[in-house]
Amino acid sequence: GNSVTQMEGPVTLSEEAFLTINCTYTATGYPSLFWYVQYPGEGLQLLLKATKADDKGSNKGFEATYRKETTSFHLEKGSVQVSDSAVYFCALRIPNTGNQFYFGTGTSLTVIP
Amino acid sequence: DGGITQSPKYLFRKEGQNVTLSCEQNLNHDAMYWYRQDPGQGLRLIYYSQIVNDFQKGDIAEGYSVSREKKESFPLTVTSAQKNPTAFYLCASSPETGYNYGYTFGSGTRLTVV
């Protein structure tokens, strides 16, 4: 089946620290991969995406590379800020399944000054 | 600005009542989705619709119903058959074709049983 596994949180980092949130997936077919961010009390916002192997998605200093050989899409940021505190969701989408998403369980990040 | 509007933001339901959550989009997206979010469980798909007057059950459809009479609207009814409805409900939309597209999410409705 199709599924996404994320590293469990919560994650607490000091400001300017390096961030990695691990994400691995299982999929039939050739998925597109996404990272979403959710701020408290809000819906999810698309952070970045990659649609084929070796693509790198990037946005707001965050990056993730689609690694087909390791079925991974790890999220990284070189220097986190307090405003990055949120819950991060890894997700995949594959064709011919109603185009629905499969989400990971989310990883909560808190950045302290 | 284009987007998805969910209302109300907070909703309280008494035992045995049906309640309806509103979801409206002006993005001209064909596909719309309802997810339920519980702490520590991520998002679970309730129903989705790829075209007007058609919808499909997701992973946890029992106790819920939907309609899609207009492209812009995809209301979700939480019926009395849903035994544990307290959760955060998220509506999303996407262009029907192209799995390379992301969802656009609404800001959610928090439903509490009292």
Side-chain angles (χ1 to χ4, degrees):
Chain A
N2 304 302
S3 65
V4 175
T5 302
Q6 285 182 238
M7 66 182 284
E8 297 208 4
V11 175
T12 302
L13 295 173
S14 297
E15 205 164 23
E16 299 184 1
F18 184 87
L19 168 71
T20 299
I21 300 178
N22 290 337
C23 171
T24 57
Y25 67 89
T26 301
T28 55
Y30 299 97
S32 292
L33 301 173
F34 301 79
W35 276 100
Y36 281 85
V37 57
Q38 185 179 33
Y39 299 101
E42 298 183 10
L44 279 68
Q45 302 173 25
L46 178 63
L47 181 59
L48 54 84
K49 68 177 184 181
T51 58
K52 62 182 187 294
D54 299 325
D55 269 2
K56 177 186 283 188
S58 61
N59 186 26
K60 299 180 181 179
F62 291 90
E63 293 184 341
T65 300
Y66 188 146
R67 300 289 187 197
K68 187 177 178 183
E69 64 276 11
T70 55
T71 62
S72 65
F73 193 54
H74 305 321
L75 182 68
E76 296 181 336
K77 187 175 185 182
S79 176
V80 294
Q81 305 301 312
V82 172
S83 57
D84 293 328
S85 298
V87 180
Y88 293 82
F89 291 89
C90 186
L92 68 84
R93 195 179 196 188
I94 59 175
N96 303 321
T97 61
N99 285 323
Q100 66 169 289
F101 274 80
Y102 295 86
F103 288 91
T105 54
T107 301
S108 175
L109 170 67
T110 300
V111 180
I112 55 177
Chain B
D1 287 339
I4 296 183
T5 301
Q6 288 188 244
S7 62
K9 190 170 180 66
Y10 299 96
L11 185 59
F12 297 90
R13 192 194 92 169
K14 293 182 179 179
E15 295 281 353
Q17 274 187 339
N18 293 353
V19 291
T20 297
L21 284 60
S22 171
C23 178
E24 304 277 334
Q25 56 101 354
N26 61 3
L27 299 164
N28 199 33
H29 284 171
D30 291 298
M32 297 186 73
Y33 305 80
W34 274 106
Y35 283 87
R36 170 178 171 143
Q37 186 177 23
D38 295 282
Q41 294 193 43
L43 280 71
R44 293 182 290 169
L45 181 65
I46 305 172
Y47 268 98
Y48 65 98
S49 168
Q50 293 183 279
I51 194 170
V52 173
N53 291 324
D54 186 53
F55 46 83
Q56 308 296 326
K57 293 182 178 179
D59 301 320
I60 56 164
E62 185 175 352
Y64 300 96
S65 65
V66 293
S67 63
R68 188 85 185 277
E69 298 177 0
K70 299 186 300 181
K71 188 175 184 178
E72 302 79 17
S73 179
F74 191 41
L76 174 73
T77 296
V78 184
T79 74
S80 56
Q82 172 49 240
K83 297 306 178 187
N84 184 24
T86 294
F88 191 51
Y89 290 86
L90 288 163
C91 180
S93 72
S94 178
E96 188 271 334
T97 57
Y99 64 101
N100 296 331
Y101 293 96
Y103 283 170
T104 300
F105 280 88
S107 57
T109 293
R110 187 165 298 280
L111 173 63
T112 304
V113 173
V114 296

